[in-house]
Amino acid sequence: MCAAFDLATLRRQAPEVEWLDDEAQRKRASRDFSWFSPVLKRALDCARAEAVARPADQSQALAVIAACARQGVPLTLRGAGTGNYGQCVPLHGGVVMDMSRLDRILGIADGVVRVEAGARLADIDTAVREHGWELRLMPSTYRMATAGGFYAGGFGGIGSIRYGSLEEPGNVLAAKVAPMTARPEPIEVRGMAVRDLYHAYGTNGVLLELEYALAPCLPWVERLYTFAAFMDAARFGHALAHAAVDLRLLTVLDAPIPPLIGLEGKVPDGQCAVLMVVSRTGVEVADALAAQGGGHLAFEQDHAAAFGTARSLIEYTWNHTTLRALRRDQAITYLQSDFPPGQALELVEAMRSRYGAEVLMHLEFLRRGNVPSCAGLQLVRYRSEARLREIIAEHRAAGVYIADPHTWLLDEGGRSNPGQMALKRRFDPHGLLNPGKLTTDGYEGLKP
Ligand SMILES: Cc1cc2nc3c(=O)[nH]c(=O)nc-3n(C[C@H](O)[C@H](O)[C@H](O)COP(=O)(O)OP(=O)(O)OC[C@H]3O[C@@H](n4cnc5c(N)ncnc54)[C@H](O)[C@@H]3O)c2cc1C
């Protein structure tokens, strides 16, 4: 509960804005998908906004910012609320501002789309497709997630095998951002500086508009190969990621995972699966490399026809793998890891044999600094928080980078940087944006 809260004054100062304050609405707007982590679920479940603001346009959003800043009320931004780390959970109450009505697509030209922050990625992709372009990067939640929520809370996903993460220079070109002040004057941030707003959980400015660079739309096909041995599947993924083949997605799942996530109709029992979105020109190479490792094509479908539906293989990858597994078995949680290029396959093999059925291998191939590399979203059979912490520490000790998905603290998750903090001092001088998400924001260690 925030001490300064007075909804009547907020309503008076931003009278055109739709304000919601009944318990069910406040509860719904205070949640995301942090329940994937038993640790976060326990810690964040009771956090509640005291009111929800639903601005219809940018001037109303600025009125909400001004009213909250004048009263010293915490402000937490919300796109679609699909984040996994409690990013949009208002730890210290105050106002949640739902950005989803700021959803205009402002322009598409020369391989760049400019959108308002609340525009849904699926709608943006549909719009740019008419011009022969597609989004370079999307989370597997693209049907719900917003442009602003993805940049402030996401990482990458579909397309990361070609374009890396949102952080790579050139993927996001500019942002219009409002400071958390009583007279918020939006400013345009361009070039390298825009990366200071990336993955900052809305703690250092309110994104109003973004410019995303686009990719030429290719004729894609979704394919699923099966392998008897996991390391053959992983080596196939590694070889394909290094080939001159256009890919949008390349996922490797260990044998126990397909039946856990609803792929039992496509993957025979005991087999490992490699899921991909590959350009039609790359299909022959994929077949040849799969055959070398004893792999077989088990399923294929046209990507454009499946895109935007739950049938697409996209919705069996990235954290949709975890979501589907959790629906069948609530004792599951997950890790987020990066295997260093050069040593990736050795470390994957070592970690897999170390943990057996306790940690199931789910690999996503991607580029880091334009180098093919591989990340893990391993499914973990949860026993206790102590055991989870032990597994994380053991991975780190073995040289596997872990971005901890079991903390709501941005700087503990491992993706904060000094530029973000400099912007925070400039755009949020009173520490009102999403307080409690940084160990250095004056709300250190506070739980809801
Ligand atoms: C099943 C599942 C699969 C997922 N797969 C992926 C994946 O493949 N790749 C990936 O990167 N992530 C993935 N995620 C995480 C999440 O879906 C994405 O990060 C998504 O892009 C978040 O978008 P959103 O609109 O829901 O953001 P929200 O969850 O609403 O917000 C995310 C963060 O951004 C902030 N924010 C929102 N709008 C603004 C704004 N206008 N200005 C400033 N800050 C703002 C919020 O305060 C919050 O801190 C997955 C999650 C689930 C549940």
Side-chain angles (χ1 to χ4, degrees):
M1 178 82 173
C2 115
F5 194 80
D6 171 9
L7 181 57
T9 306
L10 292 173
R11 278 190 207 272
R12 221 172 18 254
Q13 292 184 350
E16 287 168 3
V17 174
E18 182 186 0
W19 292 91
L20 312 172
D21 68 340
D22 84 50
E23 163 63 14
Q25 290 161 328
R26 292 190 293 119
K27 182 174 176 185
R28 204 185 59 77
S30 302
R31 292 197 155 174
D32 62 6
F33 282 71
S34 45
W35 55 266
F36 277 27
S37 160
V39 178
L40 296 184
K41 183 173 163 48
R42 222 174 15 251
L44 305 183
D45 238 16
C46 58
R48 283 289 180 286
E50 276 129 303
V52 182
R54 297 195 70 236
D57 56 31
Q58 293 188 29
S59 69
Q60 289 189 13
L62 293 175
V64 173
I65 294 170
C68 290
R70 265 183 227 125
Q71 285 199 73
V73 169
L75 180 66
T76 301
L77 305 161
R78 182 179 178 89
T82 65
N84 291 118
Y85 326 123
Q87 292 107 307
C88 65
V89 173
L91 295 186
H92 298 284
V95 169
V96 162
M97 180 153 70
D98 174 346
M99 301 296 284
S100 63
R101 290 166 77 194
L102 276 67
D103 62 354
R104 287 179 306 155
I105 295 172
L106 301 167
I108 304 164
D110 301 331
V112 177
V113 63
R114 185 157 181 120
V115 294
E116 285 189 317
R120 282 187 316 148
L121 297 170
D123 295 338
I124 301 170
D125 201 71
T126 303
V128 300
R129 245 160 229 281
E130 286 173 21
H131 299 256
W133 300 100
E134 61 189 23
L135 280 173
R136 288 184 175 187
L137 296 170
M138 288 185 306
S140 58
T141 48
Y142 68 99
R143 291 201 279 156
M144 292 189 286
T146 62
F150 186 35
Y151 197 57
F155 160 79
I158 318 311
S160 285
I161 181 71
R162 295 178 87 201
Y163 290 102
S165 76
L166 287 164
E167 189 180 15
E168 305 278 356
N171 281 331
V172 173
L173 305 173
K176 179 178 171 189
V177 55
M180 183 65 192
T181 56
R183 282 196 187 75
E185 297 275 342
I187 68 152
E188 181 85 357
V189 179
R190 300 201 67 90
M192 296 300 274
V194 77
R195 293 160 78 228
D196 295 334
L197 291 153
Y198 161 70
H199 208 77
Y201 294 4
T203 58
N204 63 2
V206 179
L207 294 166
L208 297 173
E209 296 176 13
L210 289 131
E211 263 181 36
Y212 276 87
L214 301 169
C217 194
L218 292 183
W220 298 109
V221 56
E222 300 188 359
R223 300 196 123 205
L224 188 158
Y225 293 84
T226 56
F227 288 78
F230 176 79
M231 284 313 295
D232 286 339
R235 274 190 284 273
F236 166 58
H238 184 80
L240 193 58
H242 284 77
V245 165
D246 286 315
L247 291 157
R248 237 191 152 187
L249 175 74
L250 184 54
T251 307
V252 179
L253 303 174
D254 205 350
I257 299 180
L260 257 182
I261 64 170
L263 282 177
E264 56 272 43
K266 296 187 172 67
V267 182
D269 201 28
Q271 297 267 306
C272 306
V274 179
L275 283 60
M276 69 182 69
V277 178
V278 58
S279 73
R280 292 210 177 264
T281 52
V283 159
E284 265 184 271
V285 174
D287 280 343
L289 290 173
Q292 282 174 17
H296 299 282
L297 179 67
F299 174 76
E300 81 173 316
Q301 65 186 354
D302 182 64
H303 180 55
F307 190 79
T309 74
R311 278 188 302 117
S312 171
L313 290 184
I314 288 178
E315 295 197 17
Y316 294 85
T317 67
W318 290 89
N319 244 345
H320 266 80
T321 313
T322 320
L323 176 64
R324 286 177 181 272
L326 265 163
R327 281 190 186 139
R328 293 212 179 166
D329 183 347
Q330 288 175 10
I332 281 174
T333 188
Y334 70 118
L335 295 181
Q336 288 183 159
S337 49
D338 249 326
F339 294 93
Q343 272 182 285
L345 290 184
E346 293 88 318
L347 279 170
V348 165
E349 189 164 23
M351 291 294 122
R352 179 173 178 269
S353 53
R354 178 170 188 163
Y355 296 104
E358 189 180 12
V359 180
L360 299 177
M361 272 298 169
H362 162 193
L363 303 178
E364 295 289 349
F365 283 88
L366 73 171
R367 279 189 144 63
R368 288 223 178 259
N370 213 20
V371 176
S373 146
C374 122
L377 283 165
Q378 300 93 325
L379 298 181
V380 178
R381 182 147 297 283
Y382 183 73
R383 293 186 178 150
S384 66
E385 183 174 352
R387 177 62 186 147
L388 186 62
R389 298 277 167 226
E390 193 173 57
I391 292 171
I392 289 174
E394 288 165 358
H395 275 74
R396 286 177 171 154
V400 181
Y401 174 82
I402 298 277
D404 185 358
H406 304 284
T407 175
W408 62 86
L409 286 166
L410 178 56
D411 22 9
E412 278 188 0
R415 291 207 187 106
S416 64
N417 69 54
Q420 284 176 347
M421 294 311 299
L423 216 55
K424 176 150 185 82
R425 285 189 289 277
R426 183 172 158 208
F427 285 164
D428 185 24
H430 306 295
L432 293 172
L433 284 176
N434 206 356
K437 302 293 165 60
L438 294 163
T439 51
T440 46
D441 70 358
Y443 288 79
E444 186 168 351
L446 278 185
K447 288 197 178 181

